[in-house]
Amino acid sequence: MPQEQATGPDGAGPRAVAVVGLDCAFPGAPDPAAYWRLLNGTAHPAGDPAPSRFRPGHPGAFLADADAFDPGFFGIPTAEAAAMDPQQRLLLQCAWRAVEDSGRSPSELAGSRTGSYVGAMSDDWTRLALADPEGITPRTGTGSGRAMLANRLAYQLDLRGPSLTVDTACSSSLVAVHLACTALLAGECDLALAGGVNLVLGTALDRIYQLAGLAAADGRCRPFSAGAGGIGRGEGVGVVVLRRLADAVRDGDLVHAVVHGSAVGQDGRSNGIMAPHRAAQREVVTAALDRAGAAPGQVRYVEAHGTGTALGDLIEVLALDDALGSRRGPRTTPLALGSAKAAVGHTEGAAGVAGLIKAVLALHHGTVPAGPVDGPENPQLGLARRGMERVTAPLDLAAEGPGCRVGVSSFGMGGTNAHLVLGPPPRPAGPSRDGGGTAAGVFTVSADTPDSLRENLRAQAAAVRAVPEDDLAALCRTSNRVRSARPYRFAAVAGSAAQVADELLTAAEAPLDPAAGGPAPAVAFVFTGQGAQYPGMTAALYAGSPLYRRHLREASEALLPWLGQPVHRLILDGGDVHRTGLTQPALFAVEYALAATLGGLGVRPVAVLGHSIGEFAAAVCAGALRLPDAARLVAVRGALMERLPEGGGMLAVRASAPQVGELVAGEPRCAVAALNGPGATVLSGELAALERIRAHLEDEGVGCTRLTVSHAFHSPLMEPVLDDFTRAAGTVGAARPRVPFHSTVRGGRLPDGVPLDAAYWREQIPATVRFEEAVGSLCAEAPTHLVEVGPKPVLTRLLRRIPAARRIPALPVCRGADAGPADLAELAARLHQDGLDLDWDALYAPADRRTVRMTPHLFATRWRSWCRPPDGPAQPSTQPSAQPSTQPSAQLSTQPSAQLSTQPSAQPAAQPEHRQPEPAPETGRGAGPAPQAAGAGLDALVGAGVREVVADILDTAPGELDEELRFYDDLGFDSVMLMELKHRLEARFPEVGELSLSEMLSSLVSIGSLAGYLRGLLTPAVV
């Protein structure tokens, strides 16, 4: 293929593909960071298989936790997890972490055109699962077979792009990556997960390698070494996340490396189907190089197949010399060779992705690691005279510049060969602050269990401490957006990296909030009234929050025609916000902007309540007033009240309304202005009348406080403005609140369908503010949180004194005169920690809306499941099994470890051990009800039998199941589980014969309805 014109970033061609995320686990390296350390070290993880493998035989490089899985995290019942090939389980967790590494939440991929491409050659689990015919269940089909590897990813993550498992033997995973790149460039998918997995569960391939003279005696691969003695088998899993490079650059993705070209070819008819073919290898390397638009001299390093067999290494060197040597063009530096097999062994179906991830990490770090170097170079290879060198010390790739290319080869035992040409990632543009500063961030961690949360808090604490301060807010945003929010949560407002790390460690050791894992919060907004204003209110929030700044300006523009000046400048410049004509518009603007900011973060109220002037912002929030209409009413209201003659006042008294009722009734120019709570009453009226009341109350020992106000609000002295205000209000459209509106005028929830019209707003001006009653009606609707929307906490203190609200957290948006982005972040952190899922981007400055790589999520490892081979040859049964087993083989082993706790979700909890069938009732398990059983006895027997069967399928205890549980909604039954249920019921109740699936489906609503259906079938048998 001719070279393509370079049109992309850093000289990339138009068909370049970006590696935007990755994850892996190899022997001695449970994650990419550990893999990089292993590749840079001298240790080799080869050794004998652990006793838990039930696998005698040849040494190799084995994963330490291949049997561990976190079924609760994925909502997979433990019975299903136990039937799953551990390769499925490893792949699922690896893919999840790779997607998170790409800067995406895996949950966001649901329904997307994302492809899943998996390379694998091992099918040991299937052989072991099928070795015991008595152990075969419907789950055996979905838990076994290589085809299900890619399909499991697609199913679990709800991916709608192409999904296929590739088996080309040792080249499987690199071929899978090639196919994923091809699909991306063809437009078949927009994102692709590609990788491979390999577990060594059986010994058949050991024997094949030994008989073919390919097995290394000590289980170690020594590529290109004089001591190379053959193949050392290894295990591992790796997944890369791929996008078209142009799309990744456009969207600001972090790029690990770039795939410039790839090719796949076949040996054809060579010296033998297992023999490597020099010409075929040369052709596939040349084809990939041509597609990459690269010259041979640009390739500085090749991550070779490098199995460490004398013939294989020699032919690979000769083919690379043919494709990339001096005969193809001048070279200024030797062609360097290496292979990940020296560190982790030959991981067979995962070998290609093991080499690919090593090459990607090398380009990302700018260095090729030397890895374990075992002995001198094989002199028969003649590397030096061919212009080649073995990597025995770290190789500086960064010095080669953006035109440097790296090759990755993987060759299959049957002759299918693959080669990729990679380049370094494009140079990222630095963040531009544009004078916007850095907003306060919230670092979030979540998990499915308390223990898992603690483990992840500790892991993240160690990583956060090393984060540069300039990246801290971006890291917080990454934690918000990339990690799917699980039931158990922690959130910390980020002041500094060290402070966040300390808070994470403290939380890891603290008792868990008992409310964690509960239902999502139901938040009600409570809007502050007059008296909360102060010069410069919310100035710090305006400076640090682009979202709040936009909404305050929006309110200011709506008020401008009626005020003649921008109210936001009056507020921020410290103007006179205590003049009634300006106080009310200023408070309205601030409260509107705060509520809109919360809405932008995803905090949407289930109900609203406003104190006096706060009702106007509450009405806009509830959809009963448009912003321009509310702005006009507030401006007119304030202006009319300011024109009233002075001479009125207000008096706060520590008494109830009945205590002051007689005194107020005796003063016609006074009124009860507000009932704010027990012993919190405000009176309003003429100063002389208020003074008489005050003197009388103080004589009786009742505390009184004069309030600094310009007028006697909510009193008969307001009557002169009512007609003019009503005329203005009559021109404003009246609407019904779309959110429950708890009126402080009426002292309760406004009935559905009642609009906030001119009559309501007229009534509001002189009316008593019945705050305590309105709070009572609001709290009767059981909100979980009350958020005070205002420039400082005024109502929060009152709410704590009202009995109905005492047990409900009252949280202010602004905590005081210096309220800024940190206050908003504190509120967001608290609500998220209590279970609310937020729209986090709005919290951050534009420069911080970028991805920073995070330490991977730690999955729980207590639940374990393994499959031991049968002790002797399985004899096929000539009779159908009367009791299908939930186990994938006759000897499935489950081992608990000390780190899993009970799952809080509705999914069946992960059990520490695989539950064995419970003893049958006295009638004998499978014998059905005795003929003499009738009436209540039959009911009880059938109900117990159904629960036992369902419990076996779910791997839980029958006592945990009640008759109201629904099969689909509550228990998560699918079609496979349904067929297993049918077969188990037929075995448990043989009198019914073969169940009609269509009839059974109509009764499959709940456990109780299914039991009723079976009782109906069994009743004739006992008559």
Side-chain angles (χ1 to χ4, degrees):
M1 181 180 292
Q3 292 189 8
E4 298 184 36
Q5 183 179 358
T7 59
D10 289 338
R15 295 175 62 79
V17 172
V19 180
V20 296
L22 59 83
D23 188 68
C24 62
F26 293 105
D31 56 52
Y35 187 41
W36 183 245
R37 290 192 297 271
L38 180 68
L39 293 169
N40 279 279
T42 59
H44 194 288
D48 292 328
S52 62
R53 293 301 187 94
F54 315 116
R55 178 191 181 277
H58 214 65
F62 301 97
L63 289 171
D65 289 318
D67 57 341
F69 184 54
D70 192 351
F73 184 91
F74 295 99
I76 297 175
T78 53
E80 181 178 356
M84 288 167 58
D85 185 339
Q87 293 184 132
Q88 288 188 27
R89 306 192 303 235
L90 286 172
L91 194 64
L92 187 54
Q93 294 185 162
C94 183
W96 185 279
R97 298 194 343 167
V99 173
E100 289 188 335
D101 184 63
S102 76
R104 291 161 180 78
S105 168
S107 302
E108 294 177 1
L109 298 185
S112 68
R113 294 197 322 143
T114 297
S116 47
Y117 297 81
V118 177
M121 62 177 276
S122 171
D123 221 2
D124 288 349
W125 180 266
T126 300
R127 289 191 303 102
L128 294 172
L130 298 179
D132 174 24
E134 300 295 329
I136 296 174
T137 76
R139 289 196 182 96
T140 305
T142 58
S144 306
R146 290 188 295 279
M148 296 306 296
L149 293 171
N151 293 339
R152 172 65 68 176
L153 287 185
Y155 169 76
Q156 209 69 41
L157 301 181
D158 191 16
L159 310 180
R160 307 295 176 84
S163 174
L164 59 148
T165 301
V166 179
D167 182 1
T168 58
C170 315
S171 61
S172 298
S173 55
L174 205 64
V175 172
V177 173
H178 164 79
L179 294 174
C181 291
T182 302
L184 284 166
L185 298 175
E188 293 181 352
C189 54
D190 299 317
L191 189 79
L193 312 182
V197 62
N198 190 64
L199 283 180
V200 180
L201 304 183
T203 58
L205 197 53
D206 290 344
R207 183 66 174 155
I208 291 170
Y209 285 162
Q210 288 171 344
L211 293 173
L214 299 174
D218 61 356
R220 290 190 58 175
C221 289
R222 293 176 172 84
F224 311 114
S225 170
I231 293 171
R233 299 184 70 189
E235 298 181 326
V237 59
V239 173
V240 294
V241 182
L242 305 171
R243 289 193 80 190
R244 292 179 286 269
L245 177 62
D247 295 344
V249 171
R250 179 198 64 213
D251 295 340
D253 287 348
L254 289 179
V255 177
H256 284 288
V258 177
V259 180
H260 291 277
S262 64
V264 170
Q266 235 286 336
D267 284 351
R269 190 171 182 84
S270 60
N271 290 335
I273 194 169
M274 292 176 62
H277 194 281
R278 174 178 175 177
Q281 291 183 15
R282 178 194 68 228
E283 289 165 3
V284 77
V285 173
T286 301
L289 197 67
D290 288 346
R291 290 173 185 171
Q298 288 180 260
V299 181
R300 182 65 178 90
Y301 170 74
V302 171
E303 172 61 26
H305 184 61
T307 54
T309 60
L311 178 63
D313 285 356
L314 177 59
I315 290 181
E316 185 167 11
V317 165
L318 294 174
L320 288 173
D321 187 27
D322 293 343
L324 303 174
S326 58
R327 285 170 292 179
R328 289 291 310 273
R331 298 195 64 88
T332 58
T333 56
L335 177 64
L337 303 180
S339 174
K341 294 179 180 66
V344 297
H346 189 350
T347 53
E348 298 166 349
V353 78
L356 173 63
I357 291 177
K358 174 187 171 183
V360 167
L361 293 175
L363 285 163
H364 176 77
H365 291 285
T367 303
V368 177
V373 179
D374 196 344
E377 170 193 322
N378 181 356
Q380 294 183 355
L381 302 179
L383 295 182
R385 72 174 182 268
R386 303 180 194 282
M388 298 181 186
E389 63 182 0
R390 192 169 56 134
V391 178
T392 57
L395 175 67
D396 186 1
L397 284 182
E400 304 292 325
C404 173
R405 297 293 178 261
V406 167
V408 181
S409 291
S410 192
F411 305 142
M413 184 167 60
T416 300
N417 306 319
H419 189 81
L420 268 63
V421 177
L422 311 182
R427 290 181 291 268
S432 174
R433 295 286 170 198
D434 294 330
T438 299
V442 178
F443 190 84
T444 53
V445 184
S446 68
D448 280 80
T449 70
D451 284 350
S452 181
L453 177 60
R454 292 188 180 97
E455 288 298 314
N456 278 278
L457 287 170
R458 295 185 187 104
Q460 294 299 332
V464 168
R465 201 176 295 277
V467 171
E469 295 296 334
D470 286 348
D471 287 338
L472 182 58
L475 178 69
C476 290
R477 174 185 174 271
T478 303
S479 75
N480 307 152
R481 299 185 71 252
V482 170
R483 299 299 167 91
S484 298
R486 317 303 288 191
Y488 291 92
R489 305 177 177 190
F490 177 76
V493 176
S496 69
Q499 164 255 315
V500 172
D502 289 343
E503 288 195 34
L504 294 173
L505 287 176
T506 300
E509 306 304 324
L512 188 70
D513 181 352
V523 181
F525 287 178
V526 182
F527 292 81
T528 316
Q530 196 163 332
Q533 72 278 359
Y534 56 91
M537 56 185 173
T538 70
L541 184 60
Y542 181 89
S545 170
L547 183 62
Y548 177 74
R549 186 160 56 245
R550 173 163 62 87
H551 289 305
L552 187 62
R553 287 176 175 171
E554 186 181 9
S556 184
E557 290 173 7
L559 287 160
L560 185 61
W562 315 107
L563 297 182
Q565 59 178 316
V567 74
H568 75 284
R569 292 279 24 124
L570 172 79
I571 295 168
L572 301 172
D573 295 342
D576 186 5
V577 294
H578 294 299
R579 277 180 45 205
T580 297
L582 297 176
T583 298
Q584 296 183 13
L587 278 173
F588 168 77
V590 166
E591 293 178 6
Y592 165 81
L594 289 173
T597 299
L598 292 176
L601 288 171
V603 185
R604 297 174 178 86
V606 297
V608 297
L609 180 154
H611 192 289
S612 187
I613 188 65
E615 284 202 310
F616 287 92
V620 176
C621 185
L625 282 177
R626 296 186 310 117
L627 174 60
D629 292 337
R632 180 187 177 195
L633 290 181
V634 169
V636 170
R637 185 181 191 270
L640 289 172
M641 290 182 180
E642 186 173 314
R643 292 185 199 137
L644 289 171
E646 297 186 359
M650 301 183 78
L651 183 70
V653 300
R654 295 176 183 86
S656 63
Q659 288 177 278
V660 299
E662 187 175 341
L663 292 173
V664 173
E667 298 287 355
R669 301 287 285 170
C670 286
V672 176
L675 297 170
N676 289 329
T681 301
V682 178
L683 308 181
S684 181
E686 287 183 338
L687 289 175
L690 288 178
E691 184 60 26
R692 290 191 292 270
I693 294 174
R694 184 191 67 81
H696 185 89
L697 291 173
E698 287 184 345
D699 287 344
E700 295 183 352
V702 176
C704 301
T705 302
R706 297 187 185 91
L707 302 181
T708 303
V709 295
S710 59
H711 295 82
F713 303 108
H714 297 283
S715 79
L717 300 188
M718 293 288 104
E719 290 181 2
V721 308
L722 295 181
D723 290 342
D724 289 342
F725 180 76
T726 302
R727 281 190 290 273
T731 65
V732 171
R736 300 173 182 84
R738 294 193 294 270
V739 173
F741 187 95
H742 292 265
S743 167
T744 51
V745 176
R746 309 282 169 80
R749 176 173 172 172
L750 202 68
D752 293 342
V754 175
L756 293 174
D757 54 15
Y760 180 89
W761 297 117
R762 174 191 176 105
E763 180 185 357
Q764 191 224 32
I765 290 177
T768 299
V769 179
R770 296 161 62 184
F771 181 70
E772 182 179 9
E773 293 176 76
V775 168
S777 73
L778 173 64
C779 294
E781 297 188 2
T784 59
H785 298 73
L786 302 174
V787 172
E788 180 175 1
V789 183
K792 68 179 182 182
V794 174
L795 302 180
T796 299
R797 291 188 292 271
L798 294 175
L799 288 167
R800 295 190 183 112
R801 298 170 59 181
I802 298 173
R806 282 176 186 161
R807 295 183 180 274
I808 302 174
L811 311 171
V813 182
C814 298
R815 296 174 180 270
D818 58 349
D823 294 63
L824 187 61
E826 287 281 0
L827 177 62
R830 172 62 186 273
L831 292 175
H832 171 78
Q833 187 165 309
D834 288 352
L836 189 66
D837 294 330
L838 301 176
D839 299 331
W840 287 103
D841 262 12
L843 187 67
Y844 295 93
D848 295 322
R849 294 173 192 166
R850 52 192 172 90
T851 300
V852 175
R853 305 243 185 238
M854 291 183 64
T855 293
H857 177 82
L858 295 182
F859 290 101
T861 58
R862 181 183 179 187
W863 189 91
R864 293 170 183 263
S865 180
W866 207 244
C867 185
R868 76 159 73 217
D871 294 330
Q875 298 299 323
S877 172
T878 58
Q879 299 296 327
S881 170
Q883 179 58 49
S885 169
T886 61
Q887 301 182 35
S889 80
Q891 301 182 60
L892 180 122
S893 168
T894 56
Q895 302 288 336
S897 175
Q899 297 159 7
L900 183 75
S901 64
T902 304
Q903 305 294 329
S905 66
Q907 293 289 351
Q911 302 296 317
E913 295 185 358
H914 193 77
R915 203 183 71 83
Q916 297 298 322
E918 295 188 355
E922 292 182 2
T923 53
R925 181 135 185 158
Q932 66 267 28
L938 176 65
D939 291 350
L941 199 59
V942 172
V946 170
R947 283 194 297 274
E948 287 177 5
V949 168
V950 174
D952 279 346
I953 294 173
L954 295 176
D955 197 14
T956 188
E960 296 180 3
L961 304 174
D962 63 56
E963 292 195 347
E964 302 304 317
L965 289 173
R966 297 165 296 177
F967 281 98
Y968 300 115
D969 296 336
D970 299 325
L971 301 178
F973 263 58
D974 57 25
S975 58
V976 173
M977 297 168 78
L978 172 62
M979 292 306 299
E980 185 172 355
L981 176 66
K982 176 179 181 294
H983 296 317
R984 284 177 174 274
L985 289 173
E986 289 168 350
R988 181 68 179 81
F989 301 103
E991 291 86 349
V992 303
E994 182 176 357
L995 292 171
S996 165
L997 187 60
S998 59
E999 289 183 7
M1000 184 175 153
L1001 282 173
S1002 66
S1003 302
L1004 202 68
V1005 177
S1006 66
I1007 291 177
S1009 66
L1010 178 61
Y1013 164 68
L1014 289 172
R1015 280 194 293 270
L1017 295 178
L1018 290 166
T1019 298
V1022 298
V1023 171

